Amino acid sequence: GAGVSQSPSNKVTEKGKDVELRCDPISGHTALYWYRQSLGQGLEFLIYFQGNSAPDKSGLPSDRFSAERTGGSVSTLTIQRTQQEDSAVYLCASSSDRGRRNTIYFGEGSWLTVV
Amino acid sequence: KQEVTQIPAALSVPEGENLVLNCSFTDSAIYNLQWFRQDPGKGLTSLLLIQSSQREQTSGRLNASLDKSSGRSTLYIAASQPGDSATYLCAPFNQGGKLIFGQGTELSVKP
């Protein structure tokens, strides 16, 4: 597709369940980012993938959060044993060169509600 | 640690006004700085990217300036329109390899 694609767009889950959020970056983009935006809060960095390098996981808030990127393209963010404080919009972004010179493009986000 | 502050937090103006949104950041070791807009319930749309070696960038009615040494950027919107109503986010791209976001300026342009 032409832009960053995320699914599901909306997800309501019960506390304690696991959820998976998917991101399809722009074709050919080697860098992929996950951010989280809680209600009324700024965007919080979660994790970054660049090519075959080890991901930068420094923003993951707990060990319940993990992400993988298969084949250097699609990425999945997994939240295990969800808690109400995990409710937020999860935004994925991609860039052709890690963002040092070129624009970073964001998807529409996956809106997660934990009840 | 990079900290980004945007002033004002909210702004309401009548249609047609020229306006300035301010962004300051604490760590000047950046590669570039991006301005985004976010509409309610939507993702982020990139507006302008300024490289660290540049002083300003223009796109239509938007002009962004960057003073890296003083840690400041401004977004100038000329002849504002109701369709400009959105939250505007400033994000320097750190040498640590990620965008760091401010809290944003929520803009409302009244017809």
Side-chain angles (χ1 to χ4, degrees), chain A residues 64-114:
Chain A
R64 296 186 296 105
F65 288 73
S66 63
E68 63 177 20
R69 188 178 185 191
T70 55
S73 181
V74 172
S75 177
T76 302
L77 177 69
T78 301
I79 309 173
Q80 295 179 309
R81 305 180 303 281
T82 51
Q83 303 294 314
Q84 288 185 330
E85 61 263 28
D86 299 334
S87 296
V89 57
Y90 290 82
L91 291 160
C92 178
S94 72
S95 174
S96 59
D97 73 339
R98 190 179 176 178
R100 288 188 182 184
R101 294 199 62 80
N102 293 333
T103 299
I104 295 177
Y105 295 93
F106 280 79
E108 292 287 302
S110 290
W111 295 75
L112 175 66
T113 303
V114 182

Side-chain angles (χ1 to χ4, degrees), chain A residues 35 37 98-101, chain B residues 32 34 38 49 51 93 99:
Chain A
Y35 282 80
Q37 187 176 33
R98 190 179 176 178
R100 288 188 182 184
R101 294 199 62 80
Chain B
N32 59 57
Q34 279 189 241
Q38 185 175 30
L49 168 69
Q51 301 296 343
F93 188 86
L99 289 172

